Amino acid sequence: MGHGHGKGPGQWCHGKFRGCGYRMTTGREAVLDVLSQANEHLSAEDIYMKIHPVYPAIGLTSIYRTLDILVNIGLIHKFDFGHGRARYELTEGPKGKRHHHHLVCTGCGRVIDYTDFIDEEVALLKKTEEGLSKKYNFRIDNHLIQFYGLCDACNRS
Amino acid sequence: MGHGHGKGPGQWCHGKFRGCGYRMTTGREAVLDVLSQANEHLSAEDIYMKIHPVYPAIGLTSIYRTLDILVNIGLIHKFDFGHGRARYELTEGPKGKRHHHHLVCTGCGRVIDYTDFIDEEVALLKKTEEGLSKKYNFRIDNHLIQFYGLCDACNRS
DNA sequence: AAAGATAATGGAAACCATTTTCATTTAGGA
DNA sequence: TCCTAAATGAAAATGGTTTCCATTATCTTT
């Protein structure tokens, strides 16, 4: 699984876990490892599949539990692209990708990350957030932007 | 259920249905009626609950089937606010509300529709869409914007 | 208006991602 | 090393949504 040999992402999150009162275990480390290695949005089962060959003792249940914690801690984001299963992705961190938004193909289900226009979008979002926060007294701490349509491949057929 | 007495939304969609090869039935009309009367985002069961007292013969299954068709035809939008059930809302139409985006409270689950800043947002979105369409050859026909955070009530407690 | 072809329906069962239960194991402070 | 609470896996439960299938209803054709 290409463990970082010493300074993997486990190191990075050890503190985060402990700080929140959680214990660090093999399974949790494995989940973080897989997530930081991956460049796609993984489902719980995807993660299970990658971990299983290496640590057959770790069950799907624990993975769900770990993902839940990670979402609450803020280390990962949980997405729903409308395919009946949640997908998870590391929050932008030291090794994290840049903040991005999504293009979701309604034909084949493919999800494209894009960072183009992100700056303008984020600038507008910030302004919008301020306005909305004030008007509705709503403390905003996250946003979701997705475009739906047909991808290149689906357009041709 | 406050049927429109003659020129309800059923009238509006009759043609749409027929044009797509679907037959108009009591159940389908009832679903459209409920959706056009409602100002909130309804789940399949919400709709069932409203229809049942009036038309006890109509089952939940049919409602799911009708909603599916309506989504495909483009008459309604399907949303997932992360509460484990889909919610449906009439697409902006003759009687439809203005296009809007959502504020989702992660505390209590409340969803607020906002139209403030919509113009600026939509303008930017249009520009972004053009760029993305070109770059990825992606035909965009919909977008989703949601802000997550804590609502006024949840902020206080 | 009646008949026929085919779409639509309801109820029950199936589905399937996610959660819960519970007895057992483990991490990490004492 | 011991101890206690946290974490775990396996199996069962959950709950929204779909599928199956025999029956019914719609709409076109006479």
Side-chain angles (χ1 to χ4, degrees), chain B:
Chain B
M1 212 161 45
H3 213 285
H5 283 302
K7 53 165 183 174
Q11 234 58 12
W12 173 254
C13 305
H14 246 256
K16 190 82 184 180
F17 260 99
R18 309 296 291 289
C20 295
Y22 297 110
R23 294 175 180 175
M24 184 49 57
T25 66
T26 310
R28 289 174 175 180
E29 224 155 359
V31 170
L32 280 166
D33 245 26
V34 169
L35 281 169
S36 54
Q37 234 82 65
N39 276 323
E40 358 154 42
H41 324 83
L42 301 174
S43 68
E45 197 172 356
D46 288 338
I47 296 171
Y48 176 75
M49 294 303 215
K50 298 207 179 212
I51 288 179
H52 192 68
V54 187
Y55 303 104
I58 292 169
L60 185 53
T61 307
S62 279
I63 290 173
Y64 273 109
R65 278 187 289 230
T66 301
L67 289 171
D68 219 41
I69 291 171
L70 291 173
V71 169
N72 287 330
I73 289 182
L75 279 176
I76 64 175
H77 279 142
K78 181 180 184 178
F79 290 103
D80 179 345
F81 297 122
H83 304 297
R85 70 187 60 187
R87 299 196 157 270
Y88 302 86
E89 192 178 51
L90 222 57
T91 304
E92 49 186 335
K95 293 191 62 175
K97 294 175 61 177
R98 215 176 148 211
H99 179 71
H100 59 266
H101 294 157
H102 300 293
L103 286 174
V104 182
C105 178
T106 50
C108 63
R110 194 152 69 103
V111 177
I112 298 172
D113 297 353
Y114 73 89
T115 50
D116 321 86
F117 312 100
I118 276 288
D119 294 332
E120 290 170 70
E121 286 184 24
V122 170
L124 175 62
L125 287 178
K126 185 146 284 175
K127 213 179 85 186
T128 305
E129 280 185 23
E130 278 168 26
L132 290 173
S133 297
K134 206 161 296 173
K135 172 160 183 181
Y136 297 101
N137 190 29
F138 202 103
R139 184 168 67 69
I140 293 170
D141 40 44
N142 204 357
H143 67 248
L144 174 68
I145 294 192
Q146 290 173 193
F147 286 98
Y148 292 92
L150 288 180
C151 74
D152 186 45
C154 289
N155 267 323
R156 298 184 198 285
S157 52

Side-chain angles (χ1 to χ4, degrees), chain A residues 121-140:
Chain A
E121 286 184 27
V122 169
L124 175 61
L125 287 178
K126 184 146 286 176
K127 214 179 86 187
T128 306
E129 281 186 22
E130 277 169 26
L132 290 172
S133 297
K134 206 161 296 174
K135 173 161 183 181
Y136 297 101
N137 190 29
F138 203 101
R139 183 168 67 70
I140 293 170

